[in-house]
Amino acid sequence: MGGVHETIIILDFGAQYTQLIARRIREAGVYSEIHPYNSPLEAFKERNVRGYVLSGGPDSVYEPTAPRGDPRLFAGTTPVLGICYGLQWMVQQLGGQVISGSGREYGRASLKLQRECPLFQELPGEFQVWMSHGDHVEILPPAFQAVATTGKVISAIQHGNLPFYGIQFHPEVAHTEHGSRILRNFVFKICGCRGDWTMGSFIDTAVAQVKMQMQGGHAVCALSGGVDSTVAATLVDRAVGKRLTCIFVDNGLLRQGEYDEVMQRFRDTLHLNVVGVNARQEFLSQLDGVSEPERKRKIIGAEFIRIFEREAQSLGPIEFLVQGTLYPDVIESVSVKGPSAVIKTHHNVGGLPEQMHLKLVEPLRELFKDEVRRVGQELGLDPELIQRQPFPGPGLAVRILGPVSEERLGVLRRADKIVEEEIRAAGLYQQIWQSFAVLLPISSVGVMGDGRTYENVVAVRAVHSQDGMTADWVDLPHGLLSRISSRIVNEVRGVNRVVYDVSSKPPSTIEWE
Ligand code: XMP
């Protein structure tokens, strides 16, 4: 949103919870963005920057290889708030001293205010904060004063006449009482923000930007049926109307009834200009006999690109590709830690823009997932879609262990539908990150009526997660598990056993393949 909204820039020194700082500030109605710690200030000169936050980080400032920011941050009068390592770097940079030693604090601590400070306005004189530091501030830089302590170390500081502040604790985590209030005090009382960044204002700006970027050009968008691509397409549709064509490919790996439901939503509710492509046979014949998970993903990715390209070419000249890229993907690629190791090749349309010479339109690249949901709400998308659990691009292919066939897809679809129905009936669908059935590549012996059976085993999986990176298995009520199990063995021909997956991520992954 170059130059438009008042913005708080967060310089990331590698802390675990930097994203939370951005989210807390955005919740207050102020747009906030994360950049690497060593970004030169010139990078922000076109922006309406109201303040900088320096995040925490795992290093010690006195080590020669410790990360350092742009020292010109302290040459101006734009407010700066250092958090944990950010505070320590500021102290060292401005002539104070940070040491390691007996001052380490991990976990809850009681913070006592020692003097008035705008950061702590209207807060009690003592409250709980969350600490996580081995080093601490020993000597303050000239012109700074201590404003709070835990009794053990200097825990908050301010400059005598410039808007530079530092806190040793983490205001972004829920364990710190009044944490959001402290960040709000920084953005409103110190940086002077108004707080007018809302989902409505985001939509207006995004629509205007897409119009400007595309001029009279034409775009295509690959819809997955999920919330990100749908919201991206709806925004672009608002900007350019029928100059956007959406393509929804039925790869034969969707859930029961999904293709028709999704097409109906796109056409009749959202009035998108959408082309549905039945490519079930093409995908299934490519996957015939393939068991290895990564090969399945590669085949599905390549097949998708081939079909999408073929359909897009039949539309006439196209210059743009709309993608539902979100902010966490953007941060990942600029992160100081570097992209995390690739454990599974995630299927996306990555190869398309270069191959087809398309320019990307990514109207959601500044948003977190919950913000995309709020934009969706604002755009009038139905709650059913907005609350939909994530579904992987390669679909049921990564939930059928071993080769994928029409027959095995049929078995899994029926079992999966029962899991969904029962989880919804129990009122748990929205609280759970993902819940689904998996078809195992083994048969087990059972007895039905008077006869012996030798049939499929279905595993049921349900996990809680924030972002899919880690996950805990859900302790579903036994009555619910029992209903799911008896319905599956009774209603799905070919299944005689149901097991529940009690593995968390790590070490397991959410999908079985
Ligand atoms: P895993 O199984 O890696 O999944 O723990 C983490 C999250 O990513 C989804 N997932 C995928 N999404 N293409 C996708 O678009 C894929 O190949 C893929 N594999 C896993 C998974 O459903 C979970 O939400």
Side-chain angles (χ1 to χ4, degrees):
M1 291 284 131
V4 183
H5 299 289
E6 46 188 22
T7 299
I8 301 289
I9 298 289
I10 299 169
L11 296 167
D12 180 22
F13 286 84
Q16 214 176 344
Y17 299 116
T18 306
Q19 289 194 25
L20 281 181
I21 307 175
R23 294 171 71 151
R24 299 273 170 274
I25 295 174
R26 288 174 177 209
E27 278 159 19
V30 177
Y31 181 63
S32 171
E33 250 181 36
I34 301 171
H35 290 267
Y37 65 91
N38 51 2
S39 310
L41 287 192
E42 287 78 26
F44 314 118
K45 71 173 190 292
E46 305 284 307
R47 319 296 301 271
N48 183 4
V49 177
R50 294 307 174 97
Y52 294 94
V53 175
L54 315 175
S55 85
D59 297 271
S60 286
V61 279
Y62 45 78
E63 299 289 350
T65 54
R68 289 167 219 290
D70 187 332
R72 291 170 300 168
L73 276 166
F74 307 109
T77 53
T78 307
V80 180
L81 171 65
I83 296 175
C84 196
Y85 180 89
L87 152 80
Q88 296 172 2
W89 173 65
M90 174 158 87
V91 163
Q92 204 204 32
Q93 182 64 34
L94 295 177
Q97 195 188 7
V98 173
I99 60 167
S100 77
S102 58
R104 63 172 56 103
E105 294 170 302
Y106 293 98
R108 282 198 175 73
S110 182
L111 185 85
K112 294 172 205 62
L113 303 185
Q114 297 167 302
R115 66 173 73 225
E116 297 232 322
C117 169
L119 269 186
F120 302 110
Q121 243 175 51
E122 289 157 42
L123 294 189
E126 184 168 351
F127 56 92
Q128 297 281 309
V129 296
W130 189 258
M131 290 288 193
S132 178
H133 65 104
D135 299 341
H136 67 273
V137 176
E138 180 71 4
I139 302 175
L140 286 172
F144 273 82
Q145 55 201 15
V147 293
T149 177
T150 53
K152 227 174 165 185
V153 298
I154 297 173
S155 313
I157 64 171
Q158 68 180 359
H159 192 281
N161 44 48
L162 290 167
F164 303 148
Y165 298 82
I167 50 185
Q168 185 56 70
F169 57 91
H170 290 272
E172 68 276 21
V173 302
H175 308 292
T176 292
E177 288 179 317
H178 313 295
S180 290
R181 185 58 202 260
I182 294 166
L183 291 170
R184 278 168 192 255
N185 280 346
F186 178 67
V187 299
F188 295 122
K189 298 199 189 321
I190 296 168
C191 302
C193 292
R194 291 186 309 271
D196 53 7
W197 190 71
T198 62
M199 290 305 127
S201 73
F202 168 83
I203 292 171
D204 295 343
T205 321
V207 166
Q209 281 188 333
V210 170
K211 272 190 188 146
M212 209 161 70
Q213 185 190 357
M214 284 182 51
Q215 301 291 337
H218 288 75
V220 276
C221 177
L223 293 173
S224 70
V227 64
D228 305 343
S229 59
T230 309
V231 171
T234 310
L235 267 177
V236 175
D237 173 79
R238 283 226 174 159
V240 303
K242 299 288 176 257
R243 280 190 285 119
L244 166 68
T245 307
C246 300
I247 297 177
F248 181 49
V249 177
D250 184 353
N251 57 11
L253 305 166
L254 301 173
R255 289 163 293 187
Q256 197 161 300
E258 193 171 3
Y259 180 76
D260 294 335
E261 263 166 47
V262 169
M263 276 305 279
Q264 194 184 359
R265 171 176 292 131
F266 291 148
R267 273 203 186 123
D268 305 340
T269 318
L270 298 172
H271 308 292
L272 294 176
N273 177 19
V274 56
V275 178
V277 184
N278 175 351
R280 293 194 290 266
Q281 279 323 314
E282 287 160 276
F283 277 87
L284 290 192
S285 66
Q286 290 296 321
L287 284 170
D288 191 31
V290 177
S291 304
E292 211 276 308
E294 281 303 277
R295 256 199 82 209
K296 285 184 185 172
R297 277 196 170 76
K298 292 227 164 74
I299 290 172
I300 294 166
E303 195 56 17
F304 181 83
I305 290 184
R306 192 180 69 77
I307 288 164
F308 186 83
E309 219 178 338
R310 182 185 74 198
E311 296 299 320
Q313 258 148 17
S314 73
L315 299 172
I318 303 274
E319 299 95 325
F320 297 97
L321 177 71
V322 178
Q323 285 196 332
T325 316
L326 303 193
Y327 196 46
D329 307 325
V330 176
I331 305 173
E332 181 88 343
S333 61
V334 300
S335 152
V336 289
K337 289 162 278 182
S340 43
V342 177
I343 296 176
K344 295 176 181 179
T345 319
H346 277 203
H347 156 69
N348 54 32
V349 284
L352 274 173
E354 300 87 55
Q355 205 164 318
M356 293 176 64
H357 309 290
L358 295 174
K359 292 181 214 105
L360 286 178
V361 179
E362 298 177 304
L364 309 179
R365 45 182 293 126
E366 297 170 340
L367 301 188
F368 290 107
K369 186 86 180 183
D370 50 321
E371 294 168 336
V372 173
R373 293 203 171 104
R374 275 158 54 209
V375 169
Q377 236 167 350
E378 195 95 5
L379 289 169
L381 270 55
D382 52 312
E384 176 61 35
L385 166 71
I386 292 172
Q387 297 307 333
R388 211 178 96 130
Q389 291 180 358
F391 184 64
L396 299 181
V398 291
R399 296 178 181 172
I400 292 178
L401 277 61
V404 177
S405 65
E406 201 69 83
E407 187 210 337
R408 292 183 73 73
L409 278 163
V411 172
L412 180 58
R413 277 195 186 106
R414 287 189 285 277
D416 187 67
K417 188 75 191 163
I418 292 171
V419 174
E420 185 186 331
E421 283 171 2
E422 289 298 330
I423 295 270
R424 281 187 190 276
L428 294 174
Y429 183 83
Q430 291 187 9
Q431 294 164 35
I432 291 176
W433 172 264
Q434 271 171 301
S435 44
F436 54 87
V438 180
L439 186 59
L440 303 191
I442 47 168
S443 297
S444 84
V445 174
V447 48
M448 279 187 181
D450 293 329
R452 177 185 179 280
T453 59
Y454 186 55
E455 290 177 331
N456 287 301
V457 181
V458 161
V460 175
R461 180 115 170 101
V463 293
H464 286 311
S465 174
Q466 292 293 321
D467 51 13
M469 304 295 283
T470 60
D472 291 319
W473 61 274
V474 181
D475 193 2
L476 291 179
H478 288 188
L480 172 60
L481 285 171
S482 150
R483 278 194 300 282
I484 291 176
S485 164
S486 65
R487 276 195 63 195
I488 292 177
V489 290
N490 280 305
E491 296 174 31
V492 184
R493 194 168 280 250
V495 178
N496 66 1
R497 189 177 297 270
V498 175
V499 295
Y500 187 54
D501 182 350
V502 289
S503 334
S504 289
K505 174 183 181 177
S508 303
T509 49
I510 295 177
E511 305 294 344
W512 277 45
E513 283 198 339

